[in-house]
Amino acid sequence: MAVLAKGRVFAAATLAALMMATGAQAAGQCGKDGSGFAAWTEAYKADAQARGIDTRPMQGVKYDTGVIKIDRSQHKAFKGTVEQFLARRAPASYVSKAKGYMKSQAGLLRKIEAQFGVQPEVLLAIWGMETGFGANSGNKSVFGPLATLAYDCRRSEFFTNELDSALEIAQKGYISAAQMRGAGFGELGQTQFLPSKYLQFAVDFDGDGRRDLIHSRADVLASTANFLRGHGWSAGGGYRPGEANYGVWNDWNRATIYQKALAEFAHRIAN
């Protein structure tokens, strides 16, 4: 998902800073390199614990230079044409695989569409583009990258909220801390939910008592549909440029080329 926080005008940002102390501000000074990370981490833990958050999953976290490097170069991943992007992220083999899932998972997809109003090809496009239908969800603990990005000044407030949310997920036992592993930006599961979005939109669709976006295909696809519905998806509406649901893609990913590619990928699956 990796949704990028929108910019705000200077006056609004200043007013917000004056009116409210964020978790990041309460924790300590953000930084632009790793030199202050250890001190920030200890300050964050003290603040979080005072707010009733169990920080034990953060034990041993280190400044992640890899995630900072990727964060600084995200724009490179979204260069080129839509067709070039599709060739990398949704090649013809993915379209064929998705068409196979349209048949093999038809019953599940119909139930999800009946409840949430999201077309099967849309869910399959997201699932395929995000993790290759669950094959590439990642195996890196979310806590180090989230702590690093929360400390980093570029989007400290945004990722402090995600770190808080990740710790809440572990503390409440929704997913064990050991299982909270992803591709490197703190995303969870087969369609890469940020922790705060897990808390808002994850659903237990298979009825086993857990909202499992790591192992349960039913939960993964239904939760993705719930996210889209929660952001204004119109049941059965079009999703290509100029159609009713095209704007909802922006709430999944802010990159224009990603939005166009998802819409085209879904269209190819359906046709």
Side-chain angles (χ1 to χ4, degrees):
M1 190 182 299
V3 178
L4 304 182
K6 288 183 177 178
R8 293 179 174 85
V9 296
F10 177 77
T14 302
L15 179 61
L18 290 171
M19 292 177 65
M20 182 182 297
T22 66
Q25 291 167 329
Q29 190 70 32
C30 67
K32 296 183 179 180
D33 57 42
S35 59
F37 180 69
W40 181 91
T41 301
E42 292 308 308
Y44 170 82
K45 288 180 180 179
D47 173 71
Q49 288 163 6
R51 292 184 284 127
I53 298 174
D54 183 355
T55 62
R56 284 178 293 179
M58 292 180 64
Q59 184 175 357
V61 297
K62 296 180 180 179
Y63 184 75
D64 190 331
T65 56
V67 77
I68 293 296
K69 183 178 180 180
I70 294 170
D71 184 58
R72 299 292 189 268
S73 60
Q74 280 195 76
H75 63 283
K76 295 179 181 179
F78 299 110
K79 284 187 174 181
T81 67
V82 172
E83 285 300 327
Q84 288 170 336
F85 190 83
L86 284 165
R88 296 194 302 271
R89 300 292 295 272
S93 61
Y94 276 30
V95 175
S96 297
K97 193 166 187 176
K99 287 179 179 291
Y101 280 124
M102 284 279 276
K103 295 178 181 178
S104 67
Q105 302 299 312
L108 171 63
L109 291 166
R110 279 195 300 268
K111 289 179 183 178
I112 293 173
E113 185 174 14
Q115 183 165 334
F116 300 102
V118 180
Q119 299 93 314
E121 68 270 19
V122 169
L123 302 178
L124 293 172
I126 292 173
W127 188 29
M129 192 171 287
E130 289 289 346
T131 66
F133 309 101
N136 305 306
S137 298
N139 194 36
K140 187 174 184 178
S141 173
V142 303
F143 296 104
L146 285 176
T148 299
L149 292 166
Y151 159 73
D152 184 63
C153 289
R154 195 166 87 85
R155 289 183 285 166
S156 182
E157 181 179 351
F158 180 85
F159 278 105
T160 296
N161 179 60
E162 296 303 332
L163 179 57
D164 285 352
S165 298
L167 291 167
E168 181 181 346
I169 290 168
Q171 184 170 347
K172 292 184 175 178
Y174 299 144
I175 309 174
S176 71
Q179 288 186 310
M180 292 177 67
R181 310 183 75 82
F185 261 75
E187 309 99 321
L188 294 163
Q190 296 185 32
T191 53
Q192 300 289 275
F193 269 45
L194 287 168
S196 66
K197 300 304 180 184
Y198 175 95
L199 292 173
Q200 287 180 270
F201 297 110
V203 296
D204 172 23
F205 203 72
D206 63 12
D208 69 351
R210 297 181 299 138
R211 297 183 290 169
D212 186 357
L213 304 191
I214 298 172
H215 305 104
S216 171
R217 183 176 294 165
D219 291 1
V220 166
L221 297 176
S223 297
T224 305
N226 191 38
F227 176 99
L228 295 174
R229 183 180 69 172
H231 286 82
W233 193 270
S234 177
Y239 45 77
R240 303 182 83 190
E243 296 182 329
N245 288 316
Y246 184 74
V248 181
W249 293 128
N250 188 61
D251 293 310
W252 186 265
N253 191 293
R254 304 286 171 87
T256 300
I257 194 171
Y258 200 104
Q259 297 163 22
K260 291 180 178 179
L262 269 177
E264 180 59 24
F265 186 17
H267 175 72
R268 292 180 184 182
I269 294 167
N271 294 277

